[in-house]
């Protein structure tokens, strides 16, 4: 097979070094990168280079302290759906938001997320753009996403219906005692829309920016991929590494080459 | 009521400043502190001062790369049970251990934990010492504890039977979408043996040593206490704050006074 087949690079991985113009075969850009290029120009670039866009990062952030904030979030997510369509993305990834400002009410935050997704789902369906809830690691519950397990995300999917699924990111879910069960559930429901990879380092020195290259940590990436393929998903593995002190400081070509090598040595089943 | 009623100080909170000799009415000492004092001397000190020992920290660490390591862990846990009995502790807290050295097999680690607890449970029962599994936050799954949710801990309790319960630590479980449900389950089964408090800071600057004083973070401590009392547990709230850059640097008297004030303003229902 093509040495890059099945591999996508989330452009956060090389965000300090690369622009959208310098991509590999399949990518997951961030909205700020698309905006920097210009949406039309980015879409033309994608077409001209035959790029696959595995996901647009990111929609979500539905939680706000007041109704005006929540309405603004819904409008922004509708724009994100348009952008994902323009880029021909496989899905729009949703990082749903944490607690509202000065709030300790995570139950209320979770309800705002359900309401927010519900308010944009018809737009997504009408545009045939899949929405992928990305459950984030519980250490981000306060400030980034109050959906923290696959089970919780799939409960939201079941409540809201079709067009909604999950992005299974190894970094966020590897620890989950219900991982195998919930990946099987997600697959049976046709709700696995994306598979992200990187590794959990021991020790982890920063809550946000110390993710590891595949093979440098403790995640059984091949085992997880087996679960995901057994559940019926054979789409790309998307490398997403936030690494302020290591990979973001290296030359972009070296990072991409390492991603490719490790994808083959650690991730393919 | 007595201003300290219902409050216990985990001595990790003042570990840089205090020894066991300088405690408040109720404490949770660590085994190294007991060892530094001498077990007999520590037990005499507890009796002479009428101290309540809410829990001994800690047993557990059942995961090891080979059988010899696992047997050594079991023997060490039996000694910890003896120490907890000598101190008249309410329970022995179990931090169960993470992955084995060079292993990525978290399923195997979890089985070692079940086997290890099973191997010491008869000793605990014979000595009427309760064992409290403390589910740790998922960010510690690799290196400290592979039991990461109340649901998972309670499943282990159900599998192994009486004498086993949970320590509900706000820091570790506040994010859990099943928190209310699983606290109710734990209470109904008579399995809440301890309740630990501190706060989750935003941002959190270190995975281990940046816990917050109650009221300085985002955890709804009063709400959680209401759940716990409604579930039938009215025992002490034990303050456990690992804080290398803040509380460990302040005078011990100030830390204790702040714990007491915040206990009353943030935690009592």
């Amino acid at each position: 097979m093509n040495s890059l087949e099945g591999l996508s690079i989330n452009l956060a991985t090389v965000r300090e070094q690369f622009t959208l113009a310098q991509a590999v075969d399949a990518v997951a850009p961030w909205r700020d990168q698309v905006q920097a290029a210009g949406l039309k120009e980015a879409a033309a670039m994608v077409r001209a280079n035959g790029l696959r866009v595995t996901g647009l990062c990111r929609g979500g952030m539905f939680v706000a302290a007041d109704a005006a904030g929540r309405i603004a979030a819904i409008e922004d997510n509708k724009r994100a759906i348009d952008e994902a369509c323009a880029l021909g993305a496989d899905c729009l990834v949703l990082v749903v938001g944490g607690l509202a400002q000065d709030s300790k009410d995570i139950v209320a935050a979770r309800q705002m997320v359900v309401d927010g997704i519900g308010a944009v789902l018809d737009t997504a369906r009408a545009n045939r753009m899949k929405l992928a809830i990305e459950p984030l690691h519980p250490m981000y519950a306060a400030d980034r996403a109050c959906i923290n397990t696959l089970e919780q995300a799939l409960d939201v999917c079941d409540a809201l219906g079709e067009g909604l699924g999950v992005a299974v990111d190894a970094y966020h879910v590897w620890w989950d005692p219900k991982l195998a069960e919930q990946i099987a559930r997600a697959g049976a429901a046709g709700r696995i829309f994306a598979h992200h990879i990187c590794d959990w380092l021991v020790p982890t020195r920063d809550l946000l920016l110390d993710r590891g290259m595949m093979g440098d940590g403790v995640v059984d990436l091949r085992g997880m991929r087996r679960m995901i393929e057994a559940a019926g998903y054979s789409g790309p593995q998307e490398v997403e590494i936030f690494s302020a002190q290591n990979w973001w400081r290296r030359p972009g070509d070296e990072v991409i080459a390492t991603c490719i090598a490790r994808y083959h040595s650690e991730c393919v089943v």
Side-chain angles (χ1 to χ4, degrees), chain A residues 101-138:
Chain A
Q101 187 73 34
D102 299 324
S103 169
K104 299 184 180 191
D105 192 344
I106 198 165
V107 173
R110 286 166 172 160
Q111 188 58 50
M112 290 178 201
V113 169
V114 173
D115 293 345
I117 296 174
V120 302
L121 193 51
D122 277 344
T123 303
R125 287 172 182 152
N127 287 281
R128 299 177 181 278
M129 178 49 58
K130 295 186 284 187
L131 301 181
I133 299 173
E134 183 167 357
L136 292 205
H137 194 285

Side-chain angles (χ1 to χ4, degrees), chain A residues 18-151:
Chain A
F18 272 32
T19 67
L20 187 56
Q22 302 164 288
V24 289
D25 290 5
V27 295
W30 285 61
R31 290 180 73 197
D32 62 336
Q33 296 171 317
V34 172
Q35 198 166 10
L39 178 60
K40 276 188 184 171
E41 293 73 10
M45 211 180 296
V46 163
R47 278 192 303 274
N49 292 285
L51 286 179
R52 175 173 184 176
V53 177
T54 53
L56 178 63
C57 301
R58 59 189 185 188
M61 298 297 166
F62 292 106
V63 183
D66 56 24
R70 293 190 288 276
I71 290 168
I74 287 165
E75 293 310 310
D76 187 56
N77 274 274
K78 289 180 179 173
R79 284 191 294 276
I81 290 167
D82 284 344
E83 293 165 22
C85 290
L87 294 167
D90 291 352
C91 63
L92 173 66
V93 174
L94 302 182
V95 172
V96 297
L99 294 166
Q101 187 73 34
D102 299 324
S103 169
K104 299 184 180 191
D105 192 344
I106 198 165
V107 173
R110 286 166 172 160
Q111 188 58 50
M112 290 178 201
V113 169
V114 173
D115 293 345
I117 296 174
V120 302
L121 193 51
D122 277 344
T123 303
R125 287 172 182 152
N127 287 281
R128 299 177 181 278
M129 178 49 58
K130 295 186 284 187
L131 301 181
I133 299 173
E134 183 167 357
L136 292 205
H137 194 285
M139 69 185 175
Y140 304 122
D143 49 359
R144 284 182 174 76
C146 59
I147 294 193
N148 305 104
T149 65
L150 276 173
E151 182 176 35

Side-chain angles (χ1 to χ4, degrees), chain A residues 169-185:
Chain A
D169 186 314
Y171 192 76
H172 296 302
V173 304
W174 73 274
W175 61 273
D176 190 342
K178 298 178 122 178
L179 183 63
E181 169 192 317
Q182 295 298 319
I183 285 176
R185 173 187 171 191

Side-chain angles (χ1 to χ4, degrees), chain A residues 3-15 17-18 24 26 197-199 211-216 221 237-243 247-248 250-268:
Chain A
S3 75
L4 294 177
E5 196 176 318
L7 175 67
S8 171
I9 303 293
N10 184 299
L11 292 182
T13 306
V14 284
R15 74 178 302 119
Q17 307 98 327
F18 272 32
V24 289
I197 53 174
C198 68
D199 214 335
R211 298 191 190 186
M213 179 63 67
M214 298 82 74
D216 289 344
L221 290 164
Q237 304 193 46
E238 177 187 314
V239 180
E240 185 180 37
I241 304 176
F242 299 168
S243 172
W247 298 101
W248 284 356
R250 302 199 194 193
D253 290 336
E254 178 193 339
V255 177
I256 299 291
T258 307
C259 288
I260 293 169
R262 296 295 182 84
Y263 168 70
H264 288 292
S265 66
E266 307 288 336
C267 308
V268 174

